[in-house]
Amino acid sequence: MKNNYYIITNERIIIDEKSTKEILKEKKLEEIDQINIEMNNKFFGNIIFGEPESIFGRNDEPFSFFKRSGMNFDEDKYVFLSVENISEIIPIFENLKLKVNKTFY
């Protein structure tokens, strides 16, 4: 988003607030088991660090339909939103030996 910087180092990912330079979120690369990239054909989209949250939750979610399947209202915790030129960023993750899953919408 326009109010944040998205930073990738060889040790961690960082979401930093542009105006205050305050770190909002950070995660060590060794804690990331996968990266899920959702993008359109112009390589604009989101980068999710970890498994994406699904709207259809597990059976043990607090809100469920007829005790069969749950609904998940959690947002992805570590995500770079509305990123342009994702195709230029993917090689960085691959060079860092991270598993990248790409989805086009």
Side-chain angles (χ1 to χ4, degrees), residues 55-79:
I55 187 71
F56 303 106
R58 300 179 310 271
N59 288 340
D60 62 349
E61 295 286 346
F63 179 81
S64 62
F65 294 109
F66 310 109
K67 298 185 181 181
R68 297 186 103 188
S69 62
M71 291 292 289
N72 182 6
F73 296 103
D74 292 335
E75 292 182 12
D76 294 301
K77 187 170 182 183
Y78 296 98
V79 61

Side-chain angles (χ1 to χ4, degrees), residues 16-17 36 45 48 58-59 90 100:
D16 191 47
E17 187 173 345
N36 289 279
I48 302 166
R58 300 179 310 271
N59 288 340
I90 291 171
V100 178

Side-chain angles (χ1 to χ4, degrees), residues 2 6 8 10-14 16 18 26-28 48-51 55 62 68 70 73 77 79 98 104-105:
K2 293 182 179 184
Y6 299 111
I8 304 166
N10 61 347
E11 294 183 15
R12 60 191 173 148
I13 59 156
I14 300 167
D16 191 47
K18 192 180 280 188
E26 66 180 306
K27 188 169 184 98
K28 292 183 180 180
I48 302 166
F49 297 91
E51 186 176 346
I55 187 71
R68 297 186 103 188
F73 296 103
K77 187 170 182 183
V79 61
L98 295 168
F104 287 90
Y105 57 85

Side-chain angles (χ1 to χ4, degrees), residues 24-62:
L24 301 175
K25 296 178 188 175
E26 66 180 306
K27 188 169 184 98
K28 292 183 180 180
L29 293 180
E30 62 196 34
E31 299 172 344
I32 300 171
D33 60 345
Q34 62 180 300
I35 297 174
N36 289 279
I37 298 176
E38 303 169 339
M39 59 189 154
N40 64 17
N41 61 354
K42 294 184 170 90
F43 300 103
F44 177 84
N46 304 317
I47 303 172
I48 302 166
F49 297 91
E51 186 176 346
E53 294 288 339
S54 170
I55 187 71
F56 303 106
R58 300 179 310 271
N59 288 340
D60 62 349
E61 295 286 346

